[in-house]
Amino acid sequence: MNLKIREIRASSILIKSGLPAADWVINPYNGCLFGCMYCYAAQIARWKHPDEIWGNYLDVKINASELLKNELEKLVIRRSHHIYDFGSIFFSSVTDPYVGMEAKYKLTRKCLEVLADFGYQGSISILTKSPLITRDIDLFKKFKDIEVGMTVTGLDDKVSRFLEVKAPPVTSRIKALKELSDAGINTYAFVGPIVPYFIHDEKKIKEIIDKLEEIGVKKVWFEHLNLSPKIKARLYEYLKKESPELITEFEKTDTEKYREKLNKIIEKQMNGRKIKMGYKEVIYHKKLTKKIG
Ligand code: SF4
């Protein structure tokens, strides 16, 4: 496999967010080497590299931390007095902030160092699929309002290997979440997408929530699979080669009735637990677009 890693100089790094749960996003990389088959970013970010395969390229924004420092200073000047809270910042919306190259370039770490040195008072949220995140526990402790999350699409490495082709296996993520929780970091899990066929009944959902609660995770977000035409085209092309019988199984789940059934199971399973539900309902991209649109 031919990976293309390019060092680039970006023109901005602190970007206004279109996500309901964040005011700003920071993407220290463009592209993602984890190459998940359901990735929505594959469509959003690839206009820069239309001829390349998602998962095979990464632009490394080598000036990310320097840019962030300048942009934070400009925001302070624009607001003409020293406020160190510009709202919530999310790492990252169209890449994974701890993709393998982060071990070498440390761009996410350097951006967090800039925020810590700046004395950032707003909330920070980080979502990754990589246990490399535990490297930065020392830094997380410097923030008063930070939450650190891992995507957990099941408890079985076979499922994560199948759809999150080059991401670290889910068991290593659960171990990392426990390490973070044990270190006193506020942790969350993102069960998204809820993978059709593999995670389809109350038993499976309960197992996931039980595990997350057991390892000290404070909050869990759920999201239904986004089967928009572009995501579907890439995903089904992969399924056609790897496991064609699953196309019918996935297709069957793209109904309001199926989503409602899962919503009820999740609500029931979350009821009365210590672990809280992010967004207070299962996310579905079409409803989300309507809410923020
Ligand atoms: S880790 Fe996230 S950004 Fe990277 S390919 Fe997977 S879903 Fe996309």
Side-chain angles (χ1 to χ4, degrees):
M1 183 200 327
N2 201 4
L3 292 184
K4 284 205 177 125
I5 316 290
R6 301 178 190 87
E7 293 183 3
I8 62 160
R9 292 188 70 78
S11 53
S12 57
I13 195 76
L14 188 63
I15 308 293
K16 273 276 177 198
S17 154
L19 302 170
D23 298 307
W24 305 90
V25 289
I26 293 179
N27 288 292
Y29 304 91
N30 176 39
C32 182
L33 301 178
F34 291 161
C36 308
M37 285 303 153
Y38 52 74
C39 180
Y40 78 100
Q43 308 309 325
I44 297 173
R46 58 173 308 196
W47 61 271
K48 284 190 178 162
H49 300 285
D51 302 324
E52 291 181 45
I53 296 172
W54 181 255
N56 286 3
Y57 70 88
L58 191 75
D59 292 344
V60 180
K61 300 178 186 172
I62 49 165
N63 60 336
S65 59
E66 185 187 312
L67 265 179
L68 180 60
K69 191 167 182 292
N70 292 340
E71 289 173 8
L72 287 170
E73 279 164 7
K74 276 189 198 150
L75 276 171
V76 170
I77 293 167
R78 215 182 300 154
R79 295 178 187 207
S80 71
H81 57 100
H82 283 207
I83 295 173
Y84 297 104
D85 175 359
F86 306 125
S88 50
I89 300 178
F90 179 60
F91 290 73
S92 298
S93 57
V94 291
T95 189
D96 188 300
Y98 287 92
V99 68
M101 282 292 139
E102 170 65 15
K104 174 180 172 190
Y105 287 99
K106 300 191 173 79
L107 297 185
T108 297
R109 182 172 176 90
K110 286 180 193 163
C111 286
L112 287 166
E113 281 169 348
V114 167
L115 287 163
D117 291 347
F118 182 78
Y120 196 69
Q121 300 294 306
S123 62
I124 297 171
S125 176
I126 306 176
L127 179 63
T128 180
K129 287 189 174 92
S130 171
L132 176 60
I133 194 169
T134 56
R135 178 198 66 189
D136 293 342
I137 286 176
D138 62 322
L139 257 178
F140 303 150
K141 289 186 173 172
K142 295 189 175 178
F143 296 100
K144 71 171 184 77
D145 188 359
I146 189 165
E147 56 171 13
V148 173
M150 305 283 283
T151 305
V152 176
T153 38
L155 299 179
D156 187 341
D157 285 343
K158 272 191 270 168
V159 183
S160 62
R161 275 279 76 96
F162 180 58
L163 286 176
E164 296 156 348
V165 196
K166 292 180 285 179
V170 76
T171 47
S172 70
R173 296 178 220 161
I174 289 167
K175 217 167 133 224
L177 266 177
K178 181 169 183 334
E179 192 180 332
L180 289 155
S181 298
D182 288 351
I185 308 297
N186 186 18
T187 52
Y188 71 98
F190 185 73
V191 181
I194 307 165
V195 186
Y197 181 73
F198 298 102
I199 309 296
H200 63 285
D201 63 10
E202 188 153 1
K203 184 170 173 282
K204 292 276 179 199
I205 304 267
K206 181 177 182 309
E207 277 169 6
I208 296 174
I209 305 172
D210 284 348
K211 183 52 146 184
L212 296 173
E213 205 167 45
E214 178 198 313
I215 61 172
V217 170
K218 299 275 185 302
K219 203 190 278 177
V220 55
W221 298 65
F222 292 90
E223 185 176 30
H224 292 294
L225 179 65
N226 176 346
L227 278 176
S228 68
K230 282 183 177 163
I231 293 178
K232 203 189 251 194
R234 179 166 168 266
L235 177 63
Y236 283 12
E237 195 187 314
Y238 172 73
L239 291 180
K240 213 192 272 177
K241 274 190 267 156
E242 299 296 324
S243 228
E245 69 286 358
L246 285 186
I247 294 180
T248 327
E249 296 297 328
F250 275 51
E251 198 61 17
K252 274 200 300 214
T253 66
D254 194 16
T255 66
E256 204 47 46
K257 197 172 160 204
Y258 179 82
R259 283 186 287 272
E260 276 303 315
K261 187 186 111 192
L262 273 188
N263 292 350
K264 285 203 178 103
I265 290 175
I266 291 166
E267 265 167 42
K268 182 179 158 211
Q269 278 303 322
M270 288 301 295
N271 196 17
R273 292 199 185 239
K274 241 179 22 203
I275 188 169
K276 296 295 162 225
M277 188 152 157
Y279 201 58
K280 296 194 170 61
E281 64 182 74
V282 181
I283 299 166
Y284 179 52
H285 73 285
K286 282 189 181 155
K287 272 170 82 181
L288 199 64
T289 314
K290 270 189 219 152
K291 277 191 181 174
I292 62 175

